Amino acid sequence: MSQPEQRTYLDLVKTCDNYPHIDISQLPYSHDDQTALYQLLLPDDSRPHGFMLPSIVQKMPWTSNFTITHDPSGPRSVRVLDSSNGADTASAINAALKEVIQAASDSKVFGNLIRSNPEDYKVLGADYDGKPVQLLRAAAGLFGICCRGAHMTVYTRTPAGEIKIWVPRRSRQLKTWPGKLDTTVAGGIRAEESPFECILHEADEEASLPEELVRKHAKSVGAVTYVAESAVGSGGELGLVVPDVLYLYDLEVGPDIAPKPQDDEVEEFYLMTVAEVKEALLRDEFKTNCASAMIDFFVRHGILTDDNEPDFLEIVTRLHRSLPVPTRPL
Amino acid sequence: MSQPEQRTYLDLVKTCDNYPHIDISQLPYSHDDQTALYQLLLPDDSRPHGFMLPSIVQKMPWTSNFTITHDPSGPRSVRVLDSSNGADTASAINAALKEVIQAASDSKVFGNLIRSNPEDYKVLGADYDGKPVQLLRAAAGLFGICCRGAHMTVYTRTPAGEIKIWVPRRSRQLKTWPGKLDTTVAGGIRAEESPFECILHEADEEASLPEELVRKHAKSVGAVTYVAESAVGSGGELGLVVPDVLYLYDLEVGPDIAPKPQDDEVEEFYLMTVAEVKEALLRDEFKTNCASAMIDFFVRHGILTDDNEPDFLEIVTRLHRSLPVPTRPL
C-alpha cells in the first residue's frame, strides 16, 4: 500500500476553501449560458442570498411563488415572491421554499433530498420582523445559501502544561466522511438555534458533556469562513457554490473530564498530543472543514507561528474568507 | 463641546482597512493615466511586491538601476534591476533602493523622508539566497510594500476571573497619533528581526517588561491584515496603497507585574476593565490599527460573540484581509 503524499497546512486550508477566489457576486453577469449563476433573491432585498447553478435552476420544479429571470445579459435570478400580502413574509417564503423542495424530493430529481435529515438551515442575514427565513438543510447547497456550523475543541493540559486535544473518529457507518477524524464537538446549526445553543446540544448528544460545564467554561473564539465547491463525497450535486461559516469555541477541561460517545456518530474519542494531531492532519485523516478548525486552533494557541510556518500569513487570511452573501439582516 | 458620535466595532475595523475592496493587483491595468498604479517588481520575480501611485513614480529621482514601464495598456511597472551579476542580488537591490531614497530625501521631494527614523523594513516575501530585500521604513508607503508590525496585549485576571487589560497612552509629543491609546507593546518590525524578536525588544523599551518573562509566557495568537489608504495624520503622502500585517501576541501576567514607561513613546499605562476598553474603543480613543488588534483580542477571548455583536462575521473576515502582495519568498 502506497503512503499518501505528505500535505502542508496550507494545502488543507485550500482543500476546504476550494471555490476559485473570484468575485462570486459578479459571476451571474457572465455571458456564458452554462456557467452564469442565478442569484437567489428574497422579497424587498436586493442582496443575493445564494448562487444557484443553471443545471439546478433548470431541474427545480418551480411554483408560481418564484420568478426566474433567465436574461443572460443582466443578473440572472431566482426571486422568491411574498404571497403573504405583508402579513407574515417569513412564513410565506418558508412555505414557498418547503413546497418546491418537497416537490423536488417527491420527483427524486436531486438524490440527496431523498430520506434526508428533516432539519432546516436558516438563511444567514435574512429575517422579516425577526422571523428567520429557512429551508431544508439537505437543500442548502442547491440554493447556494451559506451553511452554518459550530465547532468546539475540547482540550486539557498535562501537569507540564502541554496541550492534549480530544479528537473523535467518525463512525464508519456515516454516509458523509466515514472514519475521518473530527472536531471534538461539531454540528450544523438548526434554523431556530444560535451557534452556542448548537454547541450545548451537540456536546451532550455527541460527547456526553454536561450542559452546565459547557455553559460555564466554553469560550467563543472566532470563526472560520470559506466557500467550497461541492465534490464527490459530499453526497449530493457536484459543482455547487457552498459558502460556509464555522463558529468556533474552545473548552479547556481538567483530567477528570472525558468526552464519551452517546449517539451513533462517533466511534471513539482519542486524547491526542499536539504532535499526534499534526501528523494526523498532514496525513489527511481529518474531515476537510475540521482540519481548518483545528489549524485555527493551532494559530490561536501559538502552535503554528510565523517562526515555524512559512505559509503562516496565507493560512491566517485564507481561514477567514469574505463571504459572498449578507451576514446580517437589512 | 459636542460629543463625538458613537461608533461601532465594524466602523473601527473599516477605518483601519479602508482601501477599497477591489482586486488591487488588477488596478495597474486600468487605462486611466492618473490612477493606474505601478507594480514594484524585483529581479527574477513576476509577483508585484508593492503598488506605487503615478504621482510618486513621477517625482522619484530614479537611477539607472530601475526600469520604468509607463505603457498604460499593459501593467505599468517599476522594476529594480540586478546590478550584482548574480553575486549578491539582495545587496544590489538594497543599495539601489537606498540610493534613490537618499536622493529623494536630499531633494526634499517627499516630506516624510526628512529626518526620518533610520530603520529599514523588509519586503515581505522577497529574499535572495536567504538575504532580505529591505528599504527605509519611512519610504515603505511610497513603494507600496507591505508594512509589518507586532502587537502584544498584556492582560491580567482579577480574583473573580475578569480580564483587565494594560493600555498605554501615547505621548502627546509624538508626531503620529499623539495622545491616542495603543496596544500594550507594539512596534514596526525591523528588517533584520522576526515578529517575536520585535516584541522582545519593544516589551523592554516601551513597557520595561523583562525579556525572560516575555520569552516564557508570550503566545503567538494570529495576525490582523488590512490595506490602508494613507490619509492626513499619517505624516506623509496621501492616497498611498499601504498593505499591513500585525502579528499578534497575548501575554497574561499576574497582579505583581505592571508595565512601566521607559522610552518617551508612552505617557502612562492604565489597567482597564473590558468595559472601559470597550468605551474607549467606541469613543475612538485608540490608534486606528490598535483598535483592530484589540477587537481581535475581544473575538479570541469570547468578549465579542455572535450572540452579542450583529457584525460578528463581517468583523472576523474583515480583520483578515487577503494581502495583495506575496507573503513568502519564491
Side-chain angles (χ1 to χ4, degrees):
Chain A
M1 221 172 83
S2 70
Q3 280 297 101
E5 202 185 337
Q6 176 88 350
R7 307 183 73 191
T8 67
Y9 294 108
L10 182 58
D11 288 339
L12 296 170
V13 173
K14 286 182 173 176
T15 301
C16 178
D17 176 42
N18 72 343
Y19 202 89
H21 272 242
I22 50 177
D23 186 347
I24 293 168
S25 69
Q26 294 302 314
L27 270 185
Y29 297 90
S30 147
H31 286 225
D32 176 345
D33 257 21
Q34 299 309 306
T35 61
L37 300 175
Y38 287 73
Q39 299 184 344
L40 176 67
L41 299 173
L42 298 178
D44 304 318
D45 190 344
S46 62
R47 308 167 303 165
H49 287 273
F51 297 94
M52 300 183 70
L53 294 191
S55 58
I56 305 294
V57 173
Q58 207 175 6
K59 287 190 269 184
M60 193 70 75
W62 300 111
T63 67
S64 60
N65 291 315
F66 297 84
T67 302
I68 321 295
T69 306
H70 294 287
D71 179 6
S73 70
R76 292 171 156 189
S77 63
V78 170
R79 183 177 280 284
V80 192
L81 305 176
D82 181 3
S83 62
S84 74
N85 294 316
D88 181 350
T89 303
S91 295
I93 297 170
N94 296 342
L97 288 165
K98 192 169 184 168
E99 187 186 14
V100 72
I101 292 166
Q102 187 59 54
S105 174
D106 292 345
S107 61
K108 300 189 166 47
V109 61
F110 304 115
N112 59 323
L113 297 184
I114 303 163
R115 287 188 305 277
S116 69
N117 180 329
E119 283 171 18
D120 273 0
Y121 268 177
K122 163 178 153 168
V123 178
L124 184 64
D127 71 36
Y128 291 82
D129 302 320
K131 275 189 78 168
V133 174
Q134 59 190 78
L135 51 79
L136 187 71
R137 175 174 175 166
L142 299 175
F143 287 86
I145 66 163
C146 188
C147 294
R148 306 191 314 144
H151 283 230
M152 180 167 73
T153 304
V154 181
Y155 65 101
T156 187
R157 283 182 204 274
T158 65
E162 300 289 321
I163 285 178
K164 295 185 92 171
I165 302 168
W166 284 103
V167 178
R169 185 177 298 283
R170 294 168 67 83
S171 158
R172 321 238 172 200
Q173 315 309 324
L174 287 173
K175 274 193 292 185
T176 56
W177 312 98
K180 286 280 187 183
L181 300 178
D182 206 327
T183 308
T184 325
V185 170
I189 302 169
R190 297 173 192 157
E192 67 279 8
E193 67 187 2
S194 71
F196 191 58
E197 287 164 347
C198 172
I199 286 296
L200 288 175
H201 78 73
E202 293 286 349
D204 171 41
E205 289 168 23
E206 287 187 352
S208 320
L209 292 168
E211 178 175 328
E212 197 190 324
L213 172 87
V214 178
R215 201 177 273 286
K216 192 163 172 197
H217 296 291
K219 192 168 89 166
S220 165
V221 290
V224 158
T225 51
Y226 58 94
V227 184
E229 184 176 334
S230 67
V232 177
S234 67
E237 300 289 318
L238 306 183
L240 302 173
V241 184
V242 187
D244 213 322
V245 49
L246 309 180
Y247 297 88
L248 302 179
Y249 297 82
D250 279 359
L251 174 61
E252 182 171 348
V253 295
D256 52 320
I257 301 284
K260 286 174 204 58
Q262 186 172 149
D263 61 17
D264 51 5
E265 290 196 22
V266 174
E267 182 179 292
E268 186 182 356
F269 281 98
Y270 310 108
L271 185 58
M272 293 169 78
T273 64
V274 167
E276 287 165 343
V277 174
K278 279 184 181 177
E279 283 167 28
L281 279 168
L282 299 177
R283 272 199 314 264
D284 222 0
E285 281 201 58
F286 273 83
K287 176 169 176 272
T288 305
N289 63 356
C290 301
S292 286
M294 185 60 80
I295 290 168
D296 195 80
F297 181 93
F298 278 11
V299 169
R300 287 182 285 101
H301 286 270
I303 297 165
L304 277 185
T305 73
D306 189 64
D307 283 329
N308 66 23
E309 173 52 55
D311 294 318
F312 182 71
L313 282 181
E314 194 171 347
I315 288 169
V316 168
T317 56
R318 190 87 184 226
L319 286 170
H320 303 97
R321 180 170 181 168
S322 190
L323 292 167
V325 293
T327 56
R328 64 176 290 182
L330 266 180
Chain B
M1 222 171 80
S2 69
Q3 280 295 103
E5 202 186 338
Q6 176 88 352
R7 309 184 73 193
T8 67
Y9 294 108
L10 182 58
D11 288 339
L12 295 171
V13 173
K14 286 182 173 175
T15 301
C16 179
D17 177 41
N18 71 343
Y19 202 89
H21 272 243
I22 49 176
D23 186 347
I24 293 168
S25 68
Q26 294 302 313
L27 270 185
Y29 296 91
S30 148
H31 286 226
D32 176 345
D33 258 20
Q34 300 308 305
T35 61
L37 300 175
Y38 287 73
Q39 299 184 343
L40 176 66
L41 299 173
L42 298 178
D44 303 319
D45 190 345
S46 62
R47 308 168 304 165
H49 287 273
F51 297 94
M52 300 183 69
L53 294 191
S55 58
I56 305 294
V57 173
Q58 206 174 6
K59 285 191 268 183
M60 192 70 74
W62 299 112
T63 66
S64 60
N65 290 316
F66 297 85
T67 302
I68 321 296
T69 306
H70 294 288
D71 179 7
S73 70
R76 292 171 158 189
S77 63
V78 170
R79 183 177 281 283
V80 192
L81 304 177
D82 181 3
S83 61
S84 74
N85 294 317
D88 181 350
T89 303
S91 295
I93 297 169
N94 296 343
L97 289 165
K98 191 168 184 169
E99 186 186 15
V100 72
I101 291 166
Q102 186 59 53
S105 174
D106 291 345
S107 62
K108 300 189 167 46
V109 61
F110 304 115
N112 60 322
L113 297 184
I114 303 163
R115 287 189 303 277
S116 69
N117 181 328
E119 282 171 20
D120 273 0
Y121 268 177
K122 162 179 155 168
V123 178
L124 185 63
D127 70 35
Y128 290 83
D129 302 320
K131 275 189 78 168
V133 174
Q134 58 189 77
L135 52 79
L136 187 73
R137 174 174 176 167
L142 299 175
F143 287 86
I145 66 164
C146 188
C147 294
R148 305 192 314 144
H151 283 231
M152 180 167 75
T153 304
V154 181
Y155 66 102
T156 186
R157 283 184 203 274
T158 65
E162 299 291 321
I163 284 178
K164 294 185 92 171
I165 302 169
W166 283 103
V167 178
R169 186 177 298 283
R170 294 168 67 85
S171 158
R172 322 242 171 197
Q173 315 311 325
L174 286 174
K175 274 193 294 185
T176 55
W177 311 99
K180 285 280 186 184
L181 299 179
D182 205 327
T183 309
T184 326
V185 170
I189 302 169
R190 298 174 192 155
E192 66 280 8
E193 67 187 3
S194 72
F196 192 57
E197 287 165 346
C198 172
I199 286 296
L200 289 176
H201 79 74
E202 293 285 351
D204 172 41
E205 289 168 21
E206 288 187 350
S208 320
L209 292 168
E211 178 175 327
E212 197 189 324
L213 172 87
V214 178
R215 202 177 272 286
K216 193 163 171 197
H217 296 292
K219 191 167 89 164
S220 166
V221 290
V224 158
T225 51
Y226 58 94
V227 184
E229 183 175 333
S230 66
V232 178
S234 67
E237 301 288 319
L238 307 183
L240 303 173
V241 184
V242 188
D244 213 323
V245 49
L246 308 181
Y247 297 88
L248 302 178
Y249 297 82
D250 278 0
L251 174 62
E252 182 171 346
V253 296
D256 52 320
I257 301 285
K260 286 174 204 60
Q262 186 173 150
D263 61 18
D264 52 4
E265 290 196 22
V266 174
E267 181 179 293
E268 187 181 355
F269 282 98
Y270 309 109
L271 185 59
M272 293 169 77
T273 64
V274 167
E276 287 165 343
V277 174
K278 279 183 180 177
E279 283 167 28
L281 278 168
L282 299 176
R283 273 199 315 263
D284 221 0
E285 281 201 58
F286 274 83
K287 176 170 176 269
T288 305
N289 63 356
C290 300
S292 286
M294 186 59 80
I295 290 168
D296 195 81
F297 181 93
F298 278 11
V299 168
R300 287 182 284 102
H301 287 270
I303 297 165
L304 278 186
T305 72
D306 189 64
D307 283 330
N308 65 23
E309 173 52 55
D311 295 317
F312 182 70
L313 282 180
E314 194 171 347
I315 288 170
V316 168
T317 56
R318 190 86 183 224
L319 287 170
H320 303 95
R321 179 170 183 169
S322 189
L323 292 167
V325 293
T327 55
R328 64 175 289 181
L330 266 180

